[in-house]
């Protein structure tokens, strides 16, 4: 790769032009954030049960006394030997943030269908400390469109990212957000999937700053280069 080399004056002019576009993008992003915050809510009517190190919990329990909950749907099926390597890449960004989110009335957790023992073993292997719960035996992952039932998988089609599309994956990635009021009612406020989860990956945003960017265009598929951090 060889970019054009110019004088300092020409470089500054190019940078100022890009800066104007960046500022416009920032304003658009802020406007989208305001729309996201203003989204209507839907009441969570179904009871869900999750397993954590201290036993069974309800969805309301996962808030841990706060009014807002972010769930990262971590791809880790019940019979998988290890969790998804792409989700593991995302999770390498998570360890330090829960304490900061807690101080803004937000609880952050990961949830997978894998049994808790498998989650705990993988979490220890990866050196992670963020809260991670098992939804094994619950409809939670299916209801929030990140797990596919076998009968649907057999058709080669699945409802994901708000549409029916070709699929051969039993687990998908996503983020879901919930709110809990003083009366204990829980509401679903937002979910995003696929490229929508990019906002949680700081490493990718660093790569977006360098000349080569993510450098994935010539790969068989995006992230073909990726390994779990203990496998490079």
């Amino acid at each position: 790769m060889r970019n054009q080399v110019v004088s300092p004056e020409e470089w500054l002019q190019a940078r100022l032009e890009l800066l104007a576009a960046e500022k416009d993008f920032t304003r658009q992003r802020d406007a989208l954030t305001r729309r996201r915050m203003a989204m209507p809510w839907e009441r969570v009517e179904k009871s869900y049960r999750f397993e954590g190190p201290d036993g069974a919990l309800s969805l309301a329990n996962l808030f841990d006394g706060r009014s807002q909950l972010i769930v990262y749907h971590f791809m880790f099926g019940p019979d998988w030997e290890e969790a998804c390597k792409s989700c593991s890449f995302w999770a390498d960004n998570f360890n330090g943030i829960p304490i900061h989110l807690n101080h803004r009335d937000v609880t952050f957790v990961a949830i997978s269908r894998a049994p808790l023992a498998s989650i705990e073993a993988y979490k220890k292997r990866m050196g992670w400390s963020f809260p991670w719960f098992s939804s094994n035996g619950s409809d939670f992952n299916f209801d929030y469109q990140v797990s596919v039932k076998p009968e649907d998988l057999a058709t080669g089609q699945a409802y994901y990212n708000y549409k029916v599309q070709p699929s051969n994956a039993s687990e998908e990635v996503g983020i879901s957000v919930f709110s809990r009021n003083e009366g204990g009612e829980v509401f679903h406020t937002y979910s995003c999937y696929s490229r929508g989860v990019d906002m949680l990956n700081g490493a990718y945003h660093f790569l977006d700053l360098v000349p080569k960017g993510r450098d994935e265009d010539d790969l068989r598929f995006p992230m073909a280069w990726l390994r779990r951090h203990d496998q490079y």
Side-chain angles (χ1 to χ4, degrees):
M1 187 185 77
R2 177 74 173 178
N3 288 44
Q4 184 182 7
V5 177
V6 298
S7 68
E9 293 78 16
E10 291 173 303
W11 185 93
L12 179 59
Q13 180 60 36
R15 181 64 189 97
L16 291 174
E17 291 173 1
L18 179 60
L19 180 60
E22 289 174 337
K23 286 181 177 292
D24 184 56
F25 175 76
T26 297
R27 286 189 289 269
Q28 293 181 48
R29 184 182 60 198
D30 289 344
L32 276 174
T33 296
R34 289 190 293 271
R35 288 184 62 180
R36 187 182 300 118
M37 293 166 63
M39 274 279 294
W41 298 356
E42 60 175 348
R43 183 177 282 102
V44 178
E45 305 282 5
K46 187 180 289 189
S47 296
Y48 298 105
R49 279 287 179 269
F50 308 92
E51 187 179 1
D54 298 321
L57 301 97
S58 67
L59 182 59
N61 294 147
L62 294 184
F63 284 77
D64 197 22
R66 301 177 185 90
S67 73
Q68 301 168 104
L69 173 69
I70 297 173
V71 172
Y72 180 80
H73 298 288
F74 204 126
M75 295 169 63
F76 196 175
D79 57 348
W80 294 14
E81 292 185 2
E82 54 188 355
C84 167
K85 68 176 182 178
S86 298
C87 283
S88 299
F89 178 33
W90 261 249
D92 281 335
N93 293 267
F94 297 165
N95 255 14
I97 62 171
I99 184 64
H100 301 290
L101 297 176
N102 292 168
H103 281 79
R104 301 308 298 158
D105 194 30
V106 177
T107 297
F108 173 87
V109 302
I111 292 177
S112 302
R113 283 203 304 138
L116 183 64
S118 299
I119 290 173
E120 290 288 290
Y122 190 74
K123 183 178 174 181
K124 181 178 180 181
R125 168 187 161 186
M126 294 286 103
W128 295 329
S129 59
F130 58 85
W132 191 357
F133 298 91
S134 172
S135 61
N136 195 23
S138 164
D139 290 335
F140 182 77
N141 284 53
F142 299 105
D143 290 348
Y144 289 93
Q145 302 148 33
V146 289
S147 292
V148 182
K149 293 181 178 179
E151 57 268 30
D152 294 327
L153 194 62
T155 70
Q157 300 279 319
Y159 185 77
Y160 178 64
N161 203 13
Y162 303 106
K163 64 180 180 181
V164 176
Q165 54 185 300
S167 176
N168 60 4
S170 61
E171 304 292 328
E172 296 283 5
V173 67
I175 302 165
S176 291
V177 182
F178 301 89
S179 182
R180 182 174 182 267
N181 65 19
E182 292 181 358
E185 295 177 296
V186 175
F187 303 88
H188 175 222
T189 70
Y190 180 75
S191 284
C192 64
Y193 307 94
S194 191
R195 285 294 299 274
V197 306
D198 256 21
M199 66 181 86
L200 294 193
N201 194 321
Y204 257 152
H205 293 296
F206 276 110
L207 290 175
D208 288 342
L209 298 177
V210 300
K212 288 185 178 181
R214 302 186 185 191
D215 200 20
E216 296 178 334
D217 291 345
D218 295 330
L219 302 180
R220 290 186 298 113
F221 58 89
M223 293 187 287
W225 59 273
L226 185 65
R227 302 292 183 269
R228 296 171 183 84
H229 64 234
D230 63 351
Q231 293 176 330
Y232 283 108

